[in-house]
């Protein structure tokens, strides 16, 4: 199988090895079972790289965001690609894509971060949070979480403030007792209006102060599970809804078994952080369970065996 790694939004392949997993995908180049397959992934597709004589599979990054402002690009993808796989349940259901889990090279992530054994890493950080937006400058749900995290011994990894390598990000997460995560995309009311017009199969709920929410699978939850950090997940309005609108963290992880929800009411998150820190040994089983699931369901091998191979068998060397 040939794998084509398309460019990021900025037009440059990201340096972090966990983004495109280029070396790991090379393991499948000579697999005769998928010799008829070309696998494409990335947010923006260079259609000149698509060989239409092959069976072409697309895994578009950053759903549903990529569809808000790039409707024409999405429509062209749907015409050209034989199969589109999406971990975002609303897109998979609304556009008849094949559903799948988010994936990464979790088999090698810790070793790439120079961690030999996650159980030997000292947990000297109480609370960890990673985000792409500056929580001090943008009013959204994340600023609430940030305000609580600052009350504890914390580490905030935010590329809008300081660009750190993926390896350093993982090393910091591995040192953290608790990780604040969410399976939610936060949008403005303006983005909601565009989404309502361009991607009506996406359910967007408008909250207070112009904050809008829609489910979106996040790799930060998988990273926290891999690092055996207790996951405290924001309980959004979708957390008790049925598929495909449910919180995507529950696609793999089970509430109160692998992670704990918190209410964004100004006190629940702080209370749960305090309890976990004071009773950390009680959560060893939870951390182990989440780790086992991320290694089983979110590594590239699972994605290849359960999503790519079935398509190869269906197409049987034909378009």
């Amino acid at each position: 199988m040939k794998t084509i790694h398309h460019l990021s939004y900025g037009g440059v392949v990201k340096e972090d090895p966990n983004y495109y997993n280029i070396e790991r995908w090379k393991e499948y180049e000579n697999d005769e079972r998928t010799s008829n397959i070309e696998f494409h992934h990335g947010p923006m597709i260079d259609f000149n790289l698509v060989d239409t004589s092959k069976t072409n599979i697309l895994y578009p990054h950053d759903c549903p965001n990529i569809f808000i402002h790039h409707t024409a690009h999405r429509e062209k993808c749907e015409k050209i690609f034989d199969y589109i796989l999406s971990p975002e349940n609303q897109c998979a259901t609304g556009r008849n894509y094949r559903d799948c889990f988010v994936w990464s090279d979790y088999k090698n992530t810790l070793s790439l971060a120079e961690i030999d054994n996650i159980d030997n890493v000292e947990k000297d950080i109480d609370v960890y949070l990673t985000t792409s937006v500056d929580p001090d400058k943008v009013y959204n749900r994340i600023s609430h979480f940030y305000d609580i995290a600052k009350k504890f011994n914390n580490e905030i990894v935010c590329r809008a403030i300081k660009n750190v390598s993926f390896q350093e990000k993982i090393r910091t997460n591995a040192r953290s007792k608790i990780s604040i995560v969410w399976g939610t995309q936060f949008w403005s009311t303006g983005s909601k209006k565009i989404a309502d017009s361009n991607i009506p199969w996406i359910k967007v709920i408008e909250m207070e102060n112009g904050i809008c929410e829609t489910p979106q699978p996040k790799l930060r939850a998988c990273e926290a599970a891999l690092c055996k950090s207790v996951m405290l997940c924001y309980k959004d309005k979708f957390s008790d809804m049925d598929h495909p609108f449910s919180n995507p963290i529950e696609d793999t992880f089970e509430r109160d078994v692998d992670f704990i929800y918190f209410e964004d009411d100004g006190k629940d998150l702080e209370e749960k952080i305090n309890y976990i820190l004071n009773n950390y040994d009680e959560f060893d089983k939870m951390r182990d369970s989440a780790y086992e699931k991320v290694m089983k369901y979110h590594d590239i091998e699972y994605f290849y065996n359960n999503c790519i191979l079935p398509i190869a068998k269906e197409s049987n060397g034909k378009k």
Side-chain angles (χ1 to χ4, degrees):
M1 181 185 77
K2 182 179 179 181
T3 301
I4 296 91
H5 312 277
H6 292 269
L7 300 182
S8 66
Y9 287 118
V12 179
V13 174
K14 295 188 176 181
E15 293 180 359
D16 288 341
N18 222 51
Y19 191 78
Y20 282 101
N21 312 119
I22 292 174
E23 292 301 317
R24 181 72 184 282
W25 280 112
K26 288 181 180 179
E27 295 180 10
Y28 304 102
E29 284 183 348
N30 299 316
D31 189 342
E32 289 296 325
R33 297 174 298 173
T34 54
S35 59
N36 62 311
I37 298 292
E38 290 203 347
F39 175 58
H40 302 253
H41 71 107
M44 298 298 289
I45 304 304
D46 181 350
F47 296 106
N48 293 320
L49 300 179
V50 179
D51 181 355
T52 55
S53 69
K54 297 288 188 176
T55 297
N56 286 279
I57 302 173
L58 171 63
Y59 178 95
H61 290 241
D62 203 25
C63 293
N65 290 352
I66 190 65
F67 291 153
I68 295 181
H69 301 289
H70 302 282
T71 303
H73 187 84
R74 170 183 59 79
E75 291 174 347
K76 190 170 183 178
C77 287
E78 291 178 346
K79 290 179 180 178
I80 289 179
F81 285 94
D82 302 292
Y83 298 88
I84 299 180
L85 305 175
S86 177
E88 203 292 302
N89 294 324
Q90 295 182 93
C91 287
T93 301
R95 302 306 299 169
N96 198 31
Y97 301 158
R98 293 206 173 188
D99 59 357
C100 63
F101 296 145
V102 293
W103 51 263
S104 196
D105 184 13
Y106 291 119
K107 176 182 176 181
N108 297 306
T109 295
L110 293 176
S111 60
L112 285 169
E114 300 177 340
I115 298 173
D116 295 326
N117 187 332
I118 187 62
D119 292 320
N120 292 337
V121 177
E122 180 184 0
K123 297 286 189 183
D124 60 344
I125 298 169
D126 289 340
V127 182
Y128 169 88
L129 184 151
T130 180
T131 176
S132 59
V133 297
D134 187 343
D136 273 333
K137 295 181 179 179
V138 180
Y139 181 83
N140 55 28
R141 288 291 175 195
I142 300 169
S143 65
H144 297 188
F145 314 157
Y146 182 47
D147 289 340
I148 299 299
K150 287 190 295 185
K151 296 182 179 182
F152 299 87
N153 171 28
N154 73 86
E155 284 289 342
I156 310 297
V157 175
C158 174
R159 67 172 180 257
I161 300 174
K162 180 182 178 182
N163 190 26
V164 301
S165 69
F166 181 78
Q167 292 94 328
E168 183 58 34
K169 178 183 174 185
I170 291 297
R171 284 192 289 268
T172 303
N173 203 167
R175 293 166 50 206
S176 307
K177 295 177 181 177
I178 298 169
S179 292
I180 300 174
V181 302
W182 52 94
T184 315
Q185 179 62 40
F186 302 104
W187 283 341
S188 65
T189 52
S191 294
K192 180 182 185 302
K193 290 179 182 179
I194 296 173
D196 289 345
S197 299
N198 291 356
I199 47 177
W201 59 90
I202 299 296
K203 184 187 292 290
V204 184
I205 296 178
E206 184 172 348
M207 310 294 285
E208 73 282 359
N209 299 311
I211 302 173
C212 300
E213 301 179 348
T214 191
Q216 185 189 43
K218 301 287 188 179
L219 286 174
R220 62 174 54 89
C222 294
E223 292 162 8
L226 180 74
C227 292
K228 291 196 175 183
S229 180
V230 176
M231 290 188 286
L232 282 176
C233 182
Y234 165 53
K235 193 175 190 295
D236 60 24
K237 296 296 183 181
F238 297 89
S239 300
D240 294 318
M241 292 188 185
D242 294 329
H243 182 91
F245 305 112
S246 53
N247 191 310
I249 195 172
E250 295 197 58
D251 290 348
T252 305
F253 304 110
E254 184 179 350
R255 67 173 77 184
D256 298 326
V257 174
D258 305 301
F259 74 95
I260 301 168
Y261 275 128
F262 68 87
E263 304 278 353
D264 188 24
D265 60 4
K267 62 179 182 179
D268 190 46
L269 176 58
E270 184 173 357
E271 290 175 353
K272 284 177 175 172
I273 290 174
N274 274 315
Y275 182 85
I276 293 169
L277 293 177
N278 291 326
N279 302 275
Y280 200 64
D281 290 347
E282 291 183 15
F283 299 91
D284 289 350
K285 185 177 180 180
M286 175 176 286
R287 295 187 299 120
D288 289 342
S289 176
Y291 173 85
E292 290 170 3
K293 287 179 180 176
V294 77
M295 292 300 292
K296 180 178 180 179
Y297 296 115
H298 291 283
D299 183 68
I300 284 175
E301 182 177 3
Y302 182 90
F303 178 80
Y304 184 78
N305 289 336
N306 291 275
C307 297
I308 302 296
L309 282 180
I311 290 175
K313 291 177 181 179
E314 286 178 24
S315 57
N316 193 29
K318 302 177 182 179
K319 282 288 289 179

